[in-house]
Amino acid sequence: MKALKLCAPVFAGLLLAGCGSDNNDVMLETPMPTPPAAEEIMLKVTAVNLTNGQPLSPIGIALHKEGQFWQIGEAASAELETLAEGGDNSGLLGLDVVMMSSSADTPLAPGASQELMLTTESLEDYKLSLITMMVNTNDGFTGLNAMDVSNLAEGDSISMRTHAYDAGTEENTEAQGTIPGPADGGEGFNSAREDMDKVAMHPGVVGNEDGLSSSVLDSTHKFDNPLMMVTITRMK
Amino acid sequence: MNKTTSALIAGLTLMAGGTAMAADVEVKITNLTQGIYFTPLLVAAHSSDAHLYQIGSKASESLQAMAEGGDISGLADVLSGINASAAANPAEGLLAPTASTMAMVESSETNSTLSIVAMMLPTNDGFVGLDAWPIPTEAGTYHIYLNAYDAGTEANNELVVDGSGAPGSLGIPASPGMAPGTQGSGVTNEETNMMVHIHRGNLGDDEATGGKSDLHNTVHRWLNPVAKVTVTVK
């Protein structure tokens, strides 16, 4: 029965390479082959900040074949901690696995949108990641984590909404002096790590109007999922 | 003529039915939250007309026992009564924040939908849930994000009281991971929405002693989704 299923037309392309193998899982994970590119491929990434009052640090986008900028339940890399606590994406975009990258020059204000471009000769095996910090948080970030773009044809676009994550590297005290965004103007990156030290989804900010009297944040800084809308379009 | 046609259709149905035959279904569940624990999970492939819970409907007694005290035995009995393929407590205890567990169930022509439930701690009657998700017949890997629900059976007073897990006993039975505050006055004594609904979230407060809640507002809140499910149909 498994063989019958795999012989469905949708997998016909894979059968050439994989029929006869009884390891169906591996076969299914194999990306569809991408025809070799004759000329330059251009991707346009449009990001919209959906929050009420969380400016997003300059957005970084990257094309890579391996790796992930973050994994739920794993400790943040030093590069991710730097982004999530201080908004500096240069460490992540400078990772060895990153083949092509681009960064915005300015933060993305609530309600605003931005476009970034990437050019490459091939999309084969490529994944796209996008990363940015909610700057009025202790260590909150959002983005896309290794989205497969290898099958994107010319003119195609995909839209996604992003979730809020917590790097787990700094306690969410919301205290004066700990938040780098305009709500506080406090400290960004600090190499000390909180006990949790695992990436999780963000629980949201509390604020001084919702029961955390020592918070520098107020109701205007609260957010809920999703945080951004991101559209990736293959222009050519 | 008619007979031939229907025989032909039957033959085709049988072949096409290949995709609806029994399949092993691997279910990976990740707790996405930063500070909330899941009590023993119940994962089941079952008939599409069955539901462990339904949004906008009253919770069953078995669901109430699960949501208020983490007791999945009643729901497990219901599932075995309808010949579901169920996996009880795959994490062998609590599923900690950001941790994952794996469960195996078998889908079939009758057991064609997937449900998942587990109580969330510390909450009064909050649970993470998936209600009768149609299991794809096409082999492959699928991702689902789950929300937090309120069973609507207990007031969310947010007071941690030992031994309060039984239905009818007001309070949160435990606060794993972080010691709760004490001597809270209680957030509320009323449950205004008595149907299963999206959980409004914990309020918590910033006082270790006193205040309204025994929960901590920087630790025990969450935003949806609270779990990610990766389903692999073999």
Side-chain angles (χ1 to χ4, degrees):
Chain A
M1 276 312 161
K2 281 178 180 167
L4 186 70
K5 268 184 275 180
L6 285 168
C7 287
V10 65
F11 294 117
L14 294 172
L15 288 175
L16 292 171
C19 221
S21 160
D22 53 2
N23 193 341
N24 296 333
D25 296 321
V26 174
M27 270 183 62
L28 289 169
E29 306 252 331
T30 310
M32 297 292 278
T34 308
E39 49 194 77
E40 190 176 72
I41 291 167
M42 186 184 287
L43 298 181
K44 179 175 80 175
V45 177
T46 309
V48 186
N49 181 343
L50 303 176
T51 69
N52 179 70
Q54 286 286 345
L56 298 170
S57 68
I59 290 167
I61 54 174
L63 282 175
H64 55 104
K65 294 187 178 183
E66 291 168 4
Q68 291 181 288
F69 282 177
W70 73 89
Q71 276 184 282
I72 297 284
E74 301 290 324
S77 64
E79 291 83 3
L80 179 64
E81 182 183 11
T82 306
L83 175 280
E85 294 183 10
D88 175 3
N89 64 31
S90 61
L92 285 171
L93 298 185
L95 290 174
D96 286 346
V97 293
V98 173
M99 324 277 280
M100 256 78 66
S101 69
S102 177
S103 173
D105 299 326
T106 55
L108 181 60
S113 35
Q114 251 171 9
E115 282 178 10
L116 290 170
M117 307 294 271
L118 278 176
T119 53
T120 171
E121 287 182 357
S122 160
L123 281 180
E124 195 174 348
D125 297 337
Y126 270 129
K127 297 168 177 64
L128 187 143
S129 288
L130 180 150
I131 193 93
T132 179
M133 176 195 185
M134 293 88 83
V135 299
N136 288 326
T137 66
N138 288 95
D139 59 344
F141 69 95
T142 185
L144 298 174
N145 198 0
M147 290 295 310
D148 187 346
V149 290
S150 61
N151 290 322
L152 212 57
E154 191 172 332
D156 278 0
S157 69
I158 37 175
S159 282
M160 286 146 296
R161 287 170 172 80
T162 69
H163 290 149
Y165 298 91
D166 189 307
T169 56
E170 180 178 322
E171 270 185 77
N172 295 341
T173 61
E174 304 176 15
Q176 189 165 27
T178 68
I179 289 176
D184 182 27
E187 183 186 54
F189 173 71
N190 179 321
S191 64
R193 297 239 170 167
E194 66 156 304
D195 291 347
M196 170 93 181
D197 205 12
K198 283 177 184 169
V199 178
M201 283 198 57
H202 203 288
V205 296
V206 182
N208 55 37
E209 293 167 306
D210 196 18
L212 186 60
S213 51
S214 58
S215 175
V216 295
L217 305 179
D218 58 38
S219 64
T220 66
H221 304 113
K222 292 173 86 72
F223 54 84
D224 200 350
N225 290 313
L227 276 274
M228 314 172 78
M229 180 148 93
V230 179
T231 306
I232 305 170
T233 307
R234 179 169 164 184
M235 307 294 287
K236 58 177 186 176
Chain B
M1 182 63 182
N2 261 348
K3 229 175 194 175
T4 320
T5 312
S6 50
L8 205 71
I9 290 168
L12 286 171
T13 311
L14 204 67
M15 281 182 66
T19 53
M21 296 289 282
D24 287 330
V25 179
E26 193 180 85
V27 183
K28 181 186 177 190
I29 300 153
T30 303
N31 178 346
L32 295 174
T33 71
Q34 196 177 36
I36 303 293
Y37 287 71
F38 297 166
T39 64
L41 285 145
L42 186 58
V43 182
H46 59 79
S47 53
S48 59
D49 58 345
H51 299 274
L52 297 181
Y53 70 94
Q54 278 184 290
I55 296 173
S57 295
K58 254 194 159 55
S60 66
E61 282 178 23
S62 298
L63 187 84
Q64 181 180 6
M66 183 282 297
E68 294 186 19
D71 177 6
I72 54 175
S73 60
L75 292 174
D77 285 348
V78 170
L79 288 168
S80 81
I82 58 170
N83 297 313
S85 169
N89 195 12
E92 297 181 342
L94 296 175
L95 188 67
T98 77
S100 298
T101 188
M102 198 80 93
M104 292 291 299
V105 293
E106 195 176 79
S107 68
S108 66
E109 211 150 332
T110 45
N111 290 334
S112 59
T113 57
L114 182 73
S115 288
I116 301 172
V117 290
M119 182 193 185
M120 294 168 59
L121 277 177
T123 68
N124 285 89
D125 59 341
F127 68 97
V128 55
L130 175 66
D131 174 28
W133 179 76
I135 301 169
T137 49
E138 199 79 59
T141 300
Y142 306 86
H143 301 286
I144 319 164
Y145 286 98
L146 308 189
N147 291 325
Y149 298 95
D150 188 307
T153 56
E154 181 173 306
N156 294 350
N157 72 349
E158 300 189 10
L159 300 182
V160 179
V161 180
D162 254 353
S164 66
S169 178
L170 185 59
I172 297 172
S175 173
M178 172 168 278
T182 57
Q183 298 170 45
S185 61
V187 171
T188 177
N189 285 314
E190 282 178 23
E191 183 73 351
T192 49
N193 184 345
M194 306 211 307
M195 305 296 165
V196 175
H197 56 277
I198 290 281
H199 202 292
R200 62 186 183 264
N202 283 332
L203 183 63
D205 63 34
D206 60 355
E207 295 174 61
T209 310
K212 282 186 173 178
S213 172
D214 285 348
L215 306 182
H216 304 295
N217 58 17
T218 58
V219 175
H220 291 134
R221 292 189 178 190
W222 68 82
L223 300 176
N224 284 323
V226 293
K228 181 178 183 180
V229 177
T230 305
V231 178
T232 306
V233 180
K234 304 277 187 178

